[in-house]
Amino acid sequence: MTIQEILKILTDSGIEPNEANVEVKMLLEHFANYGAKDIVMGNKLTAEKLEIVKEKAELRARTRKPIQHIIGFADFMGEKFIVNPSVLIPRDETEILVRKAVEIINENNFKMALDVGTGSGCIACMVAKHTDCQIIGLDVSTDALNTALDNASRLNLFNKAIFRKSDVFSNVKPRESFDIIISNPPYIPKGTKLQKEVEFDPESALFTKDDKGLEFYEKITKGAPAILNEGGYLLFELGIGQAQAVKEIMKDFKNIEIIKDLAGIDRVIAGRL
């Protein structure tokens, strides 16, 4: 068995060659402690380690289970986050949301933030890491909250990223208020057909009950003014084609800004109370 034969296992299953290359490198690094330096140095892999990597590649090819679930980690903004079937795998698009939030927080010297639907805690953790803000991450899933707490602990973000069980704002305490609310909410209309890998993400983090995917934008926007400080911000990640509808939902906010991703898709919306 060779690395090229392992790569072929993935490409033969329909995984695009460039993606397969990246995934084989991830498998080699994680399960065989074998990286680019070893390749340059001409270091050889043992048959035992190659067999382990082959088994993981076969699992990926056979089930289309995301590579991040097989490894147990996902890369996000230069850090490795624990992921599992109870949380969304962090995506590159969400970095745009986090970077905008960090920019706003640091420009305004904000001290209290709220992350609604925190999942793995990747948004809360990176906001906590790159600002002087304390952030509370809310989620309805106990398993997701446990994962978020593990991620915050690994990054030594004690007392900066805090997590609490809550259905949207149901467990926000009396007299609590925030300078900024951030959310990557479920925004896929129920019944939408997704690629196989995405089906491993938790349904509750993906789908809405309405046919336009706007359910949580409406709920969060409606409740936000009651807990936002004067001049506070509301930021959302957007689904494809939802920018104008969400802008209308946020009509009571001013200075609305819509930010595109690298593909030119409207991906983040920000507004000030």
Side-chain angles (χ1 to χ4, degrees):
M1 177 58 60
T2 66
I3 293 174
Q4 283 304 117
E5 287 172 325
I6 293 172
L7 180 63
K8 192 171 185 297
I9 290 170
L10 297 183
T11 54
D12 283 353
S13 74
I15 296 171
E16 194 268 332
N18 287 338
E19 183 180 350
N21 262 307
V22 171
E23 293 188 358
V24 168
K25 288 177 182 176
M26 292 169 72
L27 292 172
L28 287 166
E29 182 179 320
H30 188 77
F31 292 106
N33 194 28
Y34 187 85
K37 185 178 178 181
D38 295 292
I39 295 171
V40 171
M41 296 290 291
N43 296 335
K44 300 295 183 184
L45 276 165
T46 65
E48 290 81 5
K49 286 187 175 180
L50 271 173
E51 184 61 27
I52 292 170
V53 174
K54 175 192 167 219
E55 288 174 2
K56 301 303 181 183
E58 287 175 338
L59 174 64
R60 168 79 171 113
R62 183 175 69 253
T63 66
R64 299 309 286 261
K65 188 176 185 178
I67 197 75
Q68 293 88 349
H69 283 182
I70 293 171
I71 290 172
F73 290 93
D75 292 315
F76 185 74
M77 294 184 69
E79 299 289 350
K80 288 191 181 298
F81 281 83
I82 299 166
V83 292
N84 51 54
S86 68
V87 300
L88 278 180
I89 296 169
R91 266 96 174 164
D92 291 344
E93 293 85 357
T94 304
E95 291 194 16
I96 302 167
L97 175 67
V98 175
R99 293 187 192 284
K100 185 62 182 177
V102 167
E103 175 190 313
I104 290 170
I105 290 167
N106 287 336
E107 282 181 356
N108 293 277
N109 196 30
F110 285 160
K111 297 301 181 186
M112 284 299 301
L114 190 68
D115 173 24
V116 183
T118 197
S120 68
C122 65
I123 293 173
C125 286
M126 298 316 288
V127 166
K129 180 178 178 181
H130 293 289
T131 72
D132 291 328
C133 219
Q134 185 182 68
I135 185 163
I136 297 174
L138 306 178
D139 207 289
V140 73
S141 165
T142 300
D143 288 339
L145 290 167
N146 286 335
T147 303
L149 184 59
D150 286 343
N151 281 318
S153 297
R154 290 181 72 253
L155 293 169
N156 295 316
L157 293 170
F158 301 103
N159 297 323
K160 282 205 72 182
I162 300 165
F163 301 98
R164 185 187 301 168
K165 188 164 187 175
S166 183
D167 185 359
V168 187
F169 302 130
S170 66
N171 202 22
V172 172
K173 297 175 182 178
R175 292 182 294 281
E176 272 188 327
S177 62
F178 302 90
D179 299 307
I180 186 168
I181 297 172
I182 310 155
S183 184
N184 176 19
Y187 53 65
I188 301 172
K190 193 72 175 175
T192 303
K193 184 64 177 173
L194 304 174
Q195 66 184 75
K196 184 67 176 175
E197 284 83 353
V198 180
E199 292 176 3
F200 286 85
D201 283 328
E203 282 195 10
S204 61
L206 294 173
F207 296 107
T208 65
K209 294 176 183 175
D210 67 313
D211 61 1
K212 293 183 179 178
L214 301 176
E215 174 188 1
F216 288 95
Y217 295 116
E218 291 171 345
K219 286 181 179 179
I220 294 168
T221 303
K222 182 179 180 182
I227 58 172
L228 267 177
N229 294 323
E230 185 177 351
Y233 280 80
L234 176 61
L235 273 72
F236 288 116
E237 182 171 324
L238 297 165
I240 294 173
Q242 293 177 324
Q244 292 308 310
V246 177
K247 184 177 180 181
E248 178 58 28
I249 291 167
M250 293 175 65
K251 61 183 182 296
D252 292 335
F253 287 76
K254 61 183 181 180
N255 306 125
I256 296 289
E257 181 180 1
I258 296 171
I259 303 151
K260 297 182 184 295
D261 63 18
L262 292 175
I265 295 167
D266 293 335
R267 187 56 69 181
V268 169
I269 189 167
R272 192 170 197 178
L273 190 64

